[in-house]
Amino acid sequence: MLCKNWTAVLLVFLLAFQVSAKEGMWIPILLEKYNLAEMQEMGFKLTAQDIYDVNHASMKDAVVIFGGGCTGELISDEGLLITNHHCGYGAIQAHSSVEHDYLTNGFWAMNKSEELPNQRLTVSFLEYMEDVSDKVMEGTEGLDETALRDKIRSNTQTIVKNAGQEGKFSASVKPLFYGNQYFLYVYKVFRDVRLVGAPPSAIGKFGGDTDNWMWPRHTGDFSLFRVYANKDNEPADYSPDNVPYQPKKFFPVSMKGVQQGDFTMVFGNPGTTTEYWAHQAVDITMNQRDPDRIMLRDKKLEIIGADMESDPAIRIQYAAKYQSISNAWKKWQGEIKGLERLDAVNKKLAYEQEFKAWAEQNGTWESTYKPVFDEFEKQYEVYAKYVKASDYYSEVVLRGVEVFRHAQAVSSIINFIEGKQDEVAKVRRAAAVAGLEGFYKNFNQPTDEKLFAELMPLLAAGLSDEFVPAELKEMVQKYGGRELVEKVYRKSVLSNREKLEKLLRDGSDKQLLKLRKDPLVNLYKQIDYINETTVSPKVREASAAIDAAMKIYMAGLMEKNVGKAFYPDANLTLRVAYGKVEGYEPVDGVEYKYYTTLTGIMEKDNPEIYDYDVPDRLRELYENKDFGAYGVDGTVPVCFTASNHTTGGNSGSPVVNANGELIGVNFDRCWEGTMSDIMYDPKVCRNISLDIRYVLFIVDKFAGAGYLLNEMDIVK
Ligand code: ASP
């Protein structure tokens, strides 16, 4: 009997151990405390200070937030940076035209003077992070809900202001564990970041939407940039006088490759996860929010995709938009499947039952946690109702029919004129005029009209009456899709660039105020009114109440599991995920290997299929077995999978080996594991990385830009 019990205890321990070896996005300054021993047991050969150290150069000095939501890493002492192709995509697209189609043909600067500057692209280096929980909570004892929130806000503002050192740094304080802890993050932001190289989409996006979120995978998902600084090595706006930034640290690049079971670590900026959600949140996501958004995006992708296929200019204009719509659209589909397979809602319910039993046993249920669970029940019902409208507005109005963006600008100008805030109205007008050029560069009105014709009826049909302006309901009932365009869209001044520009530039206030009657402005205003007066506040209030309840629940979870290391949900800050190089079993009877090769690219090769049309040069290299130093067993390694817990934002993250050398660039996850943002399953959750040897092969042999390798520290 004793023996049996011990086996059970050991088994539980081992299971817990296995899970913790893979699940988790850990805080760099807490590695020593929570993770280092395990990392070293798994093969890691360095110290926690090699990863993060404020006093000496460490890996963190070579990792950046790239743009708004990706990761990038430095790979030379001349500011050379690698990230994903899909992260650099907006920049590559912005430089592309039918004449210089870098999306199709790729782009390679053959020296520094050919590198292309990018407006508004930044990279942020983390100077330091700090636990500021005590400072944030200072003076909050005994305050009621509202006063508490205000005090936390004002404390946070003071911390951020001090850390920013008058503009030298960009600082933010973020809550962890739903506000049980607060961390300060201080960044140095570089604003001159130039495009150095990008493979053609037929490499960088090989497999397209078909293969996205899938394994086996053969995508050469990388692009190269260079960070520039002023003569003092400090951030500066673009100037031809700027010089390549000299980082405190850059990653050596390993040619040694990966083997089954090797230790791997991903060091990047995961965006958002929600691993501790209550069951209601999981339920709403998989049964309402994901399906709604998928359905609306189905329509958008169908319309935009058909137009892109019909005209090369439209293909370039809409490439980046299409990519961002389809990326989440496909992920949500995988997420639903994964959550269903895991029976996630019932798992959460069981977990909550277990929690309840624990709380009952220690006498805290009635007083502390029952109110929390009651609050979940109440608030999630409200949330579900209003977030539905919010999702529709977001997909259709804010990020669907693009001409509504003019409506948004115009109606805010009208509001300022009405409110007699003439100066602000003027500034808004100037900003709206300035934004027109960029807007129309990537805009095709017939496409937008089709979106209007199809999406407005979906909005009217999908939402209950209280969320649909009566006029819209009427319009949709009266006119069919195309007629709707004629009677509403085309009647609006917003559908005429010249007139709109003239009005914004030279129109009198009176003329602008007349736009209140413009059919699109009017429609936008009505939807915006419902959103601003009802939908948004309800979602906000419910979310705030849920978060407040989550704070107590989270603290309870930690108390219940003393001794267990918890990782906070991702929040686009620097985290460490560690695991092993390994494949997985997607379904019974099938085993996936951990790597793919160029041979697989050639197997997929099919000029008839857009996603699988291998460039001639790559085909030629393969046929001649011209692999240079990058060939392994008669082919070239392309991608590999590992058990590192990653999410969006980790795109472009360095994947390093036990010695801290770069072996790959993280870019995706496997289909069966896309629910990992909500519930992680160590059996099938795998991140997908680009093998760095494929990058070197493409740069050197395919593109003939081998000069770039000279500035890298290549470990053979
Ligand atoms: N490919 C993913 C993305 O673009 C990265 C991930 O979520 O793992 O968001």
Side-chain angles (χ1 to χ4, degrees), residues 177-179 277 376 380 541-552:
F177 302 116
Y178 293 90
W277 265 354
F376 285 151
Y380 272 120
E541 281 162 26
S543 302
I546 290 164
D547 282 354
M550 273 304 293
K551 181 177 175 179
I552 303 170

Side-chain angles (χ1 to χ4, degrees), residues 309-506:
E309 231 165 81
S310 74
D311 181 341
I314 301 176
R315 181 177 50 73
I316 293 172
Q317 284 180 318
Y318 281 77
K321 295 178 199 172
Y322 188 94
Q323 179 197 252
S324 96
I325 299 169
S326 68
N327 192 42
W329 162 82
K330 190 159 178 196
K331 188 197 116 171
W332 292 327
Q333 297 175 50
E335 186 169 88
I336 295 175
K337 277 195 159 76
L339 292 171
E340 278 171 355
R341 205 180 48 244
L342 288 179
D343 194 13
V345 174
N346 281 325
K347 271 214 177 82
K348 287 275 180 188
L349 272 167
Y351 195 67
E352 287 158 20
Q353 278 307 317
E354 200 188 301
F355 181 86
K356 182 180 174 202
W358 167 81
E360 273 171 345
Q361 211 173 38
N362 67 25
T364 51
W365 173 249
E366 284 297 329
S367 59
T368 311
Y369 298 112
K370 185 173 181 299
V372 164
F373 280 59
D374 289 347
E375 186 77 342
F376 285 151
E377 207 50 49
K378 182 172 136 204
Q379 297 296 346
Y380 272 120
E381 202 182 316
V382 178
Y383 176 82
K385 174 177 170 185
Y386 291 95
V387 85
K388 187 175 186 75
S390 172
D391 284 338
Y392 268 79
Y393 295 166
S394 165
E395 290 297 330
V396 173
V397 181
L398 301 176
R399 286 183 287 157
V401 180
E402 287 187 275
V403 83
F404 277 129
R405 264 200 269 154
H406 296 323
Q408 191 177 25
V410 165
S411 70
S412 95
I413 293 167
I414 290 174
N415 288 345
F416 286 118
I417 296 175
E418 284 173 341
K420 309 251 174 287
Q421 289 181 270
D422 293 348
E423 276 314 302
V424 193
K426 235 194 233 160
V427 172
R428 289 297 171 102
R429 273 169 83 154
V433 173
L436 290 177
E437 192 60 38
F439 178 89
Y440 283 104
K441 180 174 182 281
N442 292 330
F443 180 73
N444 179 53
Q445 186 155 316
T447 308
D448 205 47
E449 289 178 357
K450 287 177 206 160
L451 289 169
F452 184 78
E454 297 281 349
L455 293 177
M456 297 321 289
L458 287 180
L459 186 144
L463 295 180
S464 57
D465 283 357
E466 62 186 301
F467 301 124
V468 185
E471 250 176 85
L472 174 62
K473 266 243 136 102
E474 244 171 65
M475 276 179 204
V476 166
Q477 272 158 8
K478 210 152 117 201
Y479 313 123
R482 199 56 227 169
E483 245 184 312
L484 197 63
V485 172
E486 295 300 335
K487 300 279 199 261
V488 184
Y489 195 112
R490 291 264 174 100
K491 288 254 158 68
S492 164
V493 71
L494 307 186
S495 67
N496 184 321
R497 178 180 179 175
E498 266 161 55
K499 275 194 194 157
L500 173 66
E501 190 161 349
K502 198 162 167 2
L503 251 179
L504 286 169
R505 223 184 261 284
D506 312 318

Side-chain angles (χ1 to χ4, degrees), residues 281-299:
V282 180
D283 189 7
I284 293 167
T285 300
M286 64 189 281
N287 295 315
Q288 176 185 311
R289 299 198 65 197
D290 283 357
D292 279 351
R293 292 178 297 180
I294 290 166
M295 182 274 290
L296 292 167
R297 287 189 180 205
D298 275 340
K299 201 30 100 196

Side-chain angles (χ1 to χ4, degrees), residues 244-265:
Y245 170 64
Q246 293 182 326
K248 286 184 231 166
K249 159 93 188 159
F250 63 93
F251 284 100
V253 172
S254 170
M255 283 278 289
K256 288 181 280 190
V258 295
Q259 299 295 333
Q260 170 83 26
D262 279 357
F263 172 86
T264 52
M265 178 185 122

Side-chain angles (χ1 to χ4, degrees), residues 599-651:
T599 308
I601 295 184
M602 299 315 299
E603 282 168 5
K604 285 180 177 170
D605 182 21
N606 185 344
E608 301 295 309
I609 303 175
Y610 181 76
D611 287 342
Y612 294 138
D613 187 6
V614 175
D616 291 342
R617 171 78 185 134
L618 191 59
R619 205 175 286 133
E620 185 185 303
L621 288 167
Y622 181 75
E623 275 159 14
N624 297 335
K625 301 262 174 255
D626 186 3
F627 304 143
Y630 316 102
V632 178
D633 298 333
T635 186
V636 181
V638 175
C639 296
F640 65 90
T641 55
S643 47
N644 299 295
H645 189 181
T646 55
T647 184
N650 270 124
S651 287

